[in-house]
Amino acid sequence: MSRTFLGMPPFPKAAAVSTRNARLRANLTRATHTIRDKRARAVAELDDWAELRQSGREIKDRTLRHLDHYLLQAEQAVTAAGGTVHWAADAAEANRIVADLVRATGESEVVKVKSMATQEIGLNEALAAEGITAYETDLAELIVQLADDLPSHILVPAIHRNRGEIRDIFRGSMARWGRPAPEGLTDNPAELAEAARLHLREKFLRAKVAVSGANFIVAETGTLVVVESEGNGRMCLTLPETLISVVGIEKLVPSWQDLEVFLQLLPRSSTAERMNPYTSLWTGTTPSDGPSNFHLVLLDNGRSDTLADQVGRQALRCIRCSACLNVCPVYERAGGHAYGSPYPGPIGAILTPQLRGLQNEVDASLPYASSLCGACYEVCPVAIDIPEVLVQLRERVVEQAPGHRLERAAMKSAGWLLDHPAVYSAALRTAGKARGLQPRRLPLPGPAKAWSDSRDLPVLPERPFRDWWNRRDDRNHGHTGKDDAAR
Amino acid sequence: MTSARDRILAKVRAALADVPPGPPDADPPATRAYRTAHTEATGPALLALLAENLADYRAVVHQTTSARLPELLAEILRAHGSRSVAVPADLPPEWLAATHDMTRLIDSPDLTAEQLNGVDSALTGCALAIAETGTIVLDAGPAQGRRMLTLVPDHHICVIRADQVAASLPQALPRLDPTRPQTWISGPSATSDIELERVEGVHGPRRLEVVVVSGRPQ
Ligand code: SF4
């Protein structure tokens, strides 16, 4: 059983436990900086990046403005190609549909390709409750699952684990899930990858049902696209008899030609590659090649609510490249778990509260988990103005319940930021470059001024923050990332 | 009770109250000011670019002519120590004309993943290749077999003809048929999930060898 994000503490609390963990912090810093630099080089190779980005943005906006049309078009195309389309208004409906489809096959196991949509709906837990075991097959997801842990980064979910920990996790847990780790397994990454290959191969060969997400659905052709590196995606999409893909309704692109934009934007933004090792595209079913039963579950789960906000709707352009995480000074210090959902970092801060509707303290605190430096907007391949949406969401938090516990939770997030001078100096450096991108209402002459000047930020509760921040050193030792993050 | 489909569509339409009703074409088309290619190379220069980008992502690249292809394929299989090779039913027979003493598994709907798991190599052609990104595209078309053929064995040899090379993604897409199942391959499978250290080969073939055939008789 893997954990869920339900019941996570609000941002400042969760960030506090993460920042206390020196190893997690060091791993994150190294990782985010490495990916960030590589990405910048990959993007610089294309002198028409700005034009690609503009097209990506416009194509997605057009899709969203006519989403009902494109959904129906995709439904028709997938059905015509031999697939079955299901619609799920929320997580419970989607989980019900998938569980029923699996049960109808008579199987009690499924193999899974990494999918954020299925994490969002807690599919693995829902299947477990029905006696169905879901095996994660992405290496990082496997590590997370074997460790009974939570992912912390969109692209490299086990970024908070280092090689020694991973070896221990494999040695300790592989046997419980299937083929045990090889004798004498060391912490050499190639050996660890080999252990994962052997462990999962037997599962791929016997799997009858696979569950995936998709990076894109082409409305005009009904084609689904999965972008990956390891080949676990190909295994899941090709070998089983039944394939169930759970995909958010915002993942559509209108035409086949549009892939020329997104398959240039995504790999370079995400893994900093000209092209990722494997991309699978399929349209319905193909006789005697791949699954003979294909089910597409179109998931709303708050997306249509997000669409209703004319400023916030741009969050639905997101192609989950994770570039915004890697440049975010707050993410780097707070860690992915602090965001309390499968969507961490800047995109999580604007997506989660909109999908879930600002109902609880986590969601209300997220729009404040940012210094509004604008670095996320600069790198976003579909030009989502994350600071603009954050400001809008802050207004919603304050308007919705002034003086309420939600607002207090939000203020604590802001306080966490003020207590991290390094976040601000990083923010300022970026702001120098991105000043033109700042929302007008929040000029950035200096960090404190920006905060105190903005009308959506009341006086900050200074003391309690100082208290926990000062106490943090006493507890800085003897914590593992897992214990900290899961609390 | 209305169906989830109707409820979702109704919510989406309500959320889009600010959008004037009408088909998407009422909106101006998305601008496409990006390049159709980032290279002007053609002919041998384009093949060289493809080879360079494939090699950059750790594929092993061979360049040859059609006359020498059978010899080269035999050599590659020998060097890999292969004793069995899986091939599509419509593999051009001359490709393996110089390969002897090798078990051949011919792809068919009856060939199982379990059987392929015991095969040393897979040999196929491709639908096309993209020079700029170092990508080969398989679409289960001529000389390619089903998708699992190039997935389960640990060694994939892929033959590309010069006329199959497109410069860029925008030039490749119109040549591909969306109704066919496609696998785009850019180097062997890889992971960077452990401390961001790149490891080649997780689940797909750990060794990818690409043979670019210039077609000019030698
Ligand atoms: S918001 Fe933009 S940068 Fe962040 S994950 Fe989404 S597409 Fe990538």
Side-chain angles (χ1 to χ4, degrees):
Chain A
M1 268 289 293
S2 60
R3 293 168 192 270
T4 69
F5 284 97
L6 295 176
M8 289 283 287
F11 183 85
K13 238 169 142 182
V17 287
S18 298
T19 38
R20 276 204 306 271
N21 187 303
R23 184 198 290 166
L24 167 59
R25 225 166 45 230
N27 284 3
L28 263 181
T29 301
R30 201 174 73 81
T32 53
H33 284 251
T34 308
I35 308 177
R36 181 197 301 193
D37 296 345
K38 277 178 63 189
R39 178 201 160 274
R41 285 197 296 275
V43 165
E45 265 186 27
L46 299 188
D47 59 3
D48 60 343
W49 185 258
E51 287 77 14
L52 283 164
R53 185 177 185 240
Q54 181 62 24
S55 296
R57 169 199 184 139
E58 289 181 24
I59 292 166
K60 278 286 184 181
D61 275 348
R62 183 189 170 102
T63 315
L64 293 170
R65 281 167 59 84
H66 301 279
L67 193 58
D68 52 337
H69 170 89
Y70 290 117
L71 282 167
L72 290 172
Q73 197 184 13
E75 178 189 45
Q76 197 186 5
V78 170
T79 309
T84 308
V85 178
H86 310 259
W87 300 70
D90 56 26
E93 283 185 17
N95 289 332
R96 178 81 267 138
I97 292 167
V98 177
D100 287 349
L101 288 171
V102 177
R103 290 239 293 246
T105 65
E107 295 294 314
S108 60
E109 289 178 357
V110 301
V111 285
K112 272 189 74 198
V113 203
K114 174 174 151 191
S115 139
M116 305 203 60
T118 60
Q119 273 171 34
E120 175 192 321
I121 61 175
L123 178 67
N124 291 8
E125 293 72 26
L127 291 178
E130 309 254 343
I132 299 162
T133 309
Y135 295 112
E136 293 292 349
T137 63
D138 177 77
L139 179 52
E141 296 285 346
L142 173 71
I143 295 165
V144 167
Q145 185 173 50
L146 290 173
D148 192 14
D149 199 353
L150 286 171
S152 60
H153 189 283
I154 293 179
L155 179 67
V156 265
I159 204 168
H160 58 295
R161 296 291 192 182
N162 59 28
R163 61 182 74 190
E165 289 178 280
I166 295 168
R167 179 205 51 210
D168 295 344
I169 291 165
F170 279 12
R171 278 191 187 159
S173 301
M174 270 188 171
R176 264 191 295 128
W177 287 83
R179 182 173 172 149
E183 282 292 316
L185 180 66
T186 73
D187 66 1
N188 176 314
E191 264 189 55
L192 294 170
E194 167 79 11
R197 178 185 173 96
L198 294 170
H199 179 79
L200 289 172
R201 176 93 16 166
E202 60 168 23
K203 293 196 163 56
F204 289 134
L205 291 177
R206 73 163 188 247
K208 296 278 186 287
V209 185
V211 175
S212 84
N215 295 90
F216 306 101
I217 302 177
V218 181
E220 69 171 354
T221 60
T223 307
L224 274 78
V225 183
V226 165
V227 168
E228 53 134 355
S229 297
E230 295 174 9
N232 61 311
R234 291 178 69 190
M235 291 279 178
C236 292
L237 302 170
T238 311
L239 298 185
E241 289 162 9
T242 299
L243 170 61
I244 306 165
S245 301
V246 182
V247 188
I249 55 174
E250 83 286 18
K251 292 289 179 96
L252 292 168
V253 297
S255 71
W256 178 249
Q257 187 193 1
D258 294 332
L259 292 179
E260 74 191 20
V261 175
F262 294 103
L263 291 180
Q264 292 193 72
L265 289 174
L266 181 56
R268 287 182 199 259
S269 282
S270 174
T271 47
E273 292 167 306
R274 273 174 222 122
M275 192 62 86
N276 48 289
Y278 295 141
T279 301
S280 295
L281 303 91
W282 74 99
T283 306
T285 56
T286 307
S288 75
D289 186 348
S292 44
N293 305 301
F294 169 55
H295 297 274
L296 171 62
V297 182
L298 290 169
L299 176 72
D300 182 344
N301 206 34
R303 286 159 178 80
S304 54
D305 298 320
T306 308
L307 195 62
D309 184 321
Q310 287 177 45
V311 175
R313 110 177 12 148
Q314 59 185 305
L316 298 176
R317 293 205 296 258
C318 175
I319 56 173
R320 312 276 190 267
C321 72
S322 75
C324 57
L325 277 62
N326 299 324
V327 295
C328 178
V330 176
Y331 173 80
E332 184 184 329
R333 285 163 187 84
H337 296 144
Y339 293 82
S341 95
Y343 306 106
I347 181 60
I350 61 167
L351 193 58
T352 307
Q354 296 199 87
L355 291 178
R356 298 202 293 218
L358 287 170
Q359 288 310 308
N360 59 41
E361 295 186 5
V362 186
D363 298 351
S365 64
L366 284 176
Y368 291 84
S370 166
S371 60
L372 300 178
C373 75
C376 46
Y377 168 70
E378 259 195 303
V379 297
C380 178
V382 285
I384 300 173
D385 192 339
I386 293 177
E388 181 188 25
V389 181
L390 286 168
V391 170
Q392 151 96 350
L393 287 170
R394 288 177 187 186
E395 282 171 11
R396 270 170 63 183
V397 171
V398 175
E399 274 162 21
Q400 202 163 300
H404 186 259
R405 72 183 162 81
L406 294 188
E407 194 187 346
R408 288 199 298 277
M411 290 313 105
K412 286 186 186 171
S413 267
W416 181 85
L417 283 170
L418 284 182
D419 241 354
H420 287 67
V423 170
Y424 275 99
S425 53
L428 275 183
R429 276 198 307 280
T430 322
K433 284 184 280 169
R435 194 179 295 275
L437 312 170
Q438 291 301 320
R440 258 167 225 224
R441 212 178 303 139
L442 290 172
L444 257 183
K449 187 159 175 358
W451 285 106
S452 52
D453 276 356
S454 61
R455 68 176 184 80
D456 52 333
L457 260 170
V459 182
L460 294 160
E462 174 82 12
R463 267 222 67 83
F465 273 88
R466 289 269 174 247
D467 287 353
W468 69 249
W469 186 247
N470 290 338
R471 277 204 310 271
R472 81 203 185 276
D473 285 333
D474 313 338
R475 293 193 267 166
N476 210 5
H477 303 288
H479 281 281
T480 66
K482 176 186 167 188
D483 291 341
D484 281 353
R487 206 165 281 140
Chain B
M1 208 183 107
T2 52
S3 70
R5 179 179 186 271
D6 293 345
R7 277 179 285 139
I8 293 170
L9 287 169
K11 276 185 78 181
V12 166
R13 284 175 186 136
L16 294 170
D18 61 303
V19 179
D25 291 344
D27 281 3
T31 53
R32 294 182 191 270
Y34 51 86
R35 293 180 185 281
T36 51
H38 298 89
T39 172
E40 278 157 23
T42 54
L46 194 63
L47 294 193
L49 179 65
L50 172 67
E52 185 189 321
N53 284 332
L54 279 164
D56 192 34
Y57 284 164
R58 323 280 170 92
V60 179
V61 184
H62 309 265
Q63 304 207 46
T64 189
T65 59
S66 35
R68 288 190 178 173
L69 179 63
E71 251 325 306
L72 177 62
L73 291 174
E75 227 166 80
I76 291 172
L77 286 163
R78 203 177 317 123
H80 190 254
S82 299
R83 279 181 307 207
S84 53
V85 59
V87 296
D90 58 350
L91 191 88
E94 67 276 13
W95 287 11
L96 284 180
T99 299
H100 312 288
D101 306 324
M102 178 105 33
T103 310
R104 287 182 205 181
L105 274 89
I106 314 286
D107 185 37
S108 80
D110 300 328
L111 185 66
T112 64
E114 201 72 61
Q115 285 170 293
L116 282 169
N117 199 33
V119 174
D120 296 323
S121 302
L123 169 64
T124 69
C126 65
L128 60 75
I130 306 169
E132 245 182 37
T133 57
T135 303
I136 52 181
V137 178
L138 304 183
D139 71 354
Q144 296 162 62
R146 296 172 307 152
R147 282 175 282 175
M148 68 161 75
L149 193 73
T150 53
L151 171 62
V152 180
D154 205 11
H155 179 215
H156 178 202
I157 309 164
C158 183
V159 177
I160 305 171
R161 291 192 324 263
D163 65 338
Q164 291 179 309
V165 181
S168 66
L169 212 59
Q171 292 182 10
L173 276 166
R175 291 169 63 172
L176 290 167
D177 177 356
T179 63
R180 305 194 69 89
Q182 292 174 26
T183 308
W184 298 21
I185 301 173
S186 309
S189 96
T191 184
S192 301
D193 279 349
I194 302 165
E195 295 184 16
L196 296 179
E197 190 167 305
R198 188 178 164 99
V199 175
E200 251 102 64
V202 194
H203 303 296
R206 283 183 283 195
R207 190 172 169 86
L208 172 66
E209 299 200 53
V210 178
V211 181
V212 184
V213 185
S214 66
R216 274 171 292 122
Q218 200 73 4

